[in-house]
Amino acid sequence: MSSIFLCHTSIDKPFVEKLARDLRRIGVNVWFDKWEIKVGDSLTWKIEEGIRENEFLGIVLSPEALKSEWVKSELGAAWSKQMKTRKVFVLPIFYRECEMPYFLSDRKYADFRIDYEHGFSELAGIFGIDETEVITQDNWRKFTRKKKVNWKSFKTKEFEQLVTTLVDRAYEYKWSAWVGGTANEYSISFYCSIKKDDTFIHNYISFKLVGESNAYNASFKKESNPNNLKVSDYEKYIGNSIDACDECLWRFMDDSNSIYGTPTEKPFYFTERFSRGNELHEAAKEMMRRFNWYKGDKL
């Protein structure tokens, strides 16, 4: 298993801790001072041990790091090890704009200055870890232009979580919910009817994961069936997270209930989705395998 000693200055510690956790997640052993040095430990001996025993030293480059005496000391020890072993040991991690040290100027660096996920993918590649292992439920939008990464499965999983969260919210407020089908994928509408003074008041709000941006937009058009809405109807930008949509829905329903009262008609929930391609056939085959004593691959 690959291992790395993260050399950095204290001002960059929040970034370094995130990087350390992400590297651990993909199977890299990380030496991070916050995790390794305990009360009573000798700083000098623990750092020397970390540099000696790890496969790589990642130098997190920033203006403050290049002025730090601790960073200079660690980098000097790492460079000495690289000269003795004649193997690449020092990995430049370009975090914030600064003048690249002369002895690292001809080295390929992982560039985190503009985009974290891009820099992380570059660094992961050093350890033989490709993009398919770097993608997560939180960062899949960064990979939508990558052909070899199955980011669509993460998109589908997120929408599934969105539906569950928002329908639970609608149930709490007695609003109905309707998930879009193949005519309007990744969309969901919420609506209610309130009887007041012998008339019915109807309120509507819909959400959709829109286009190439994969952001959530909202529509307030009077339509309970999301399949009857057009992309252009979703005019209000909400955000890229389930939490943003949940807060928007909660505020909308809470305002409606405060002004008009609690919905008086029984709510309905249409949350089933249509199968795509041969999904139904594959699901049937999986069900048959579950109820078969034979678990080999010959039949």
Side-chain angles (χ1 to χ4, degrees):
M1 184 179 291
S2 296
S3 61
I4 187 171
F5 178 104
L6 291 177
C7 173
H8 64 286
T9 188
S10 58
I11 196 172
D12 297 328
K13 198 171 290 291
F15 163 78
V16 178
E17 184 162 5
K18 172 176 171 53
L19 178 61
R21 292 186 187 282
D22 286 342
L23 286 170
R24 270 193 174 181
R25 175 178 53 77
I26 61 174
V28 178
N29 279 332
V30 181
W31 196 102
F32 175 45
D33 60 1
K34 183 178 177 180
W35 300 341
E36 303 294 336
I37 300 177
K38 311 302 181 185
V39 174
D41 285 345
S42 166
L43 295 177
T44 303
W45 282 107
K46 290 293 291 186
I47 289 171
E48 182 180 328
E49 180 184 64
I51 293 173
R52 184 175 62 252
E53 295 184 354
N54 282 275
E55 184 180 1
F56 296 101
L57 179 140
I59 168 67
V60 179
L61 294 167
S62 70
E64 292 81 5
L66 297 183
K67 297 176 183 177
S68 168
E69 292 302 321
W70 273 109
V71 169
K72 290 177 183 178
S73 176
E74 292 170 5
L75 198 53
W79 193 256
S80 176
K81 177 180 176 178
Q82 181 165 299
M83 292 297 98
K84 288 179 181 179
T85 60
R86 296 187 180 278
K87 293 180 180 179
V88 174
F89 176 62
V90 179
L91 303 178
I93 298 171
F94 213 161
Y95 172 42
R96 289 188 288 121
E97 199 65 51
C98 61
E99 186 175 349
M100 182 71 70
Y102 179 75
F103 63 91
L104 293 177
S105 59
D106 64 339
R107 303 280 172 176
K108 177 69 173 71
Y109 52 79
D111 194 350
F112 287 81
R113 288 173 296 174
I114 298 175
D115 184 83
Y116 179 89
E117 302 302 339
H118 172 76
F120 188 70
S121 294
E122 289 185 323
L123 186 59
I126 297 293
F127 307 112
I129 299 168
D130 62 28
E131 291 171 334
T132 60
E133 298 175 82
V134 175
I135 188 172
T136 69
Q137 195 63 56
D138 294 326
N139 67 15
W140 64 266
R141 286 175 175 80
K142 300 285 187 179
F143 295 85
T144 55
R145 297 187 182 276
K146 306 287 186 179
K147 293 182 179 180
K148 65 178 183 179
V149 180
N150 184 23
W151 57 269
K152 290 185 178 179
S153 64
F154 291 90
K155 176 179 180 177
T156 300
K157 182 66 176 177
E158 180 181 290
F159 188 71
E160 182 180 84
Q161 294 171 347
L162 176 93
V163 169
T164 302
T165 299
L166 299 194
V167 169
D168 282 349
R169 179 73 69 184
Y171 184 87
E172 177 186 348
Y173 277 80
K174 299 182 180 180
W175 282 51
S176 296
W178 192 332
V179 177
T182 53
N184 200 354
E185 286 189 311
Y186 302 109
S187 64
I188 183 169
S189 295
F190 300 91
Y191 51 96
C192 72
S193 296
I194 305 119
K195 188 176 182 181
K196 193 170 185 179
D197 300 330
D198 295 326
T199 61
F200 278 97
I201 297 168
H202 305 282
N203 281 325
Y204 307 84
I205 182 172
S206 301
F207 298 91
K208 181 176 175 62
L209 197 53
V210 177
E212 292 186 0
S213 68
N214 286 297
Y216 290 103
N217 283 17
S219 169
F220 300 93
K221 188 173 181 180
K222 294 182 178 180
E223 178 58 66
S224 59
N225 184 347
N227 297 303
N228 295 332
L229 294 171
K230 299 178 292 185
V231 175
S232 57
D233 292 327
Y234 295 88
E235 298 179 330
K236 182 178 176 59
Y237 170 79
I238 302 300
N240 289 328
S241 70
I242 294 171
D243 286 345
C245 295
D246 187 31
E247 182 176 358
C248 177
L249 180 63
W250 166 71
R251 290 184 181 280
F252 187 80
M253 292 189 303
D254 200 57
D255 288 346
S256 173
N257 284 15
S258 296
I259 297 170
Y260 305 109
T262 304
T264 51
E265 288 198 343
K266 180 182 177 180
F268 294 91
Y269 305 98
F270 304 101
T271 58
E272 295 78 12
R273 73 173 176 89
F274 294 97
S275 64
R276 304 181 187 88
N278 64 344
E279 280 186 327
L280 201 58
H281 178 62
E282 291 300 320
K285 289 199 299 183
E286 175 60 28
M287 185 64 71
M288 291 174 66
R289 283 193 291 268
R290 284 192 178 190
F291 288 93
N292 192 332
W293 284 111
Y294 175 74
K295 300 302 181 184
D297 58 3
K298 305 300 182 185
L299 302 181

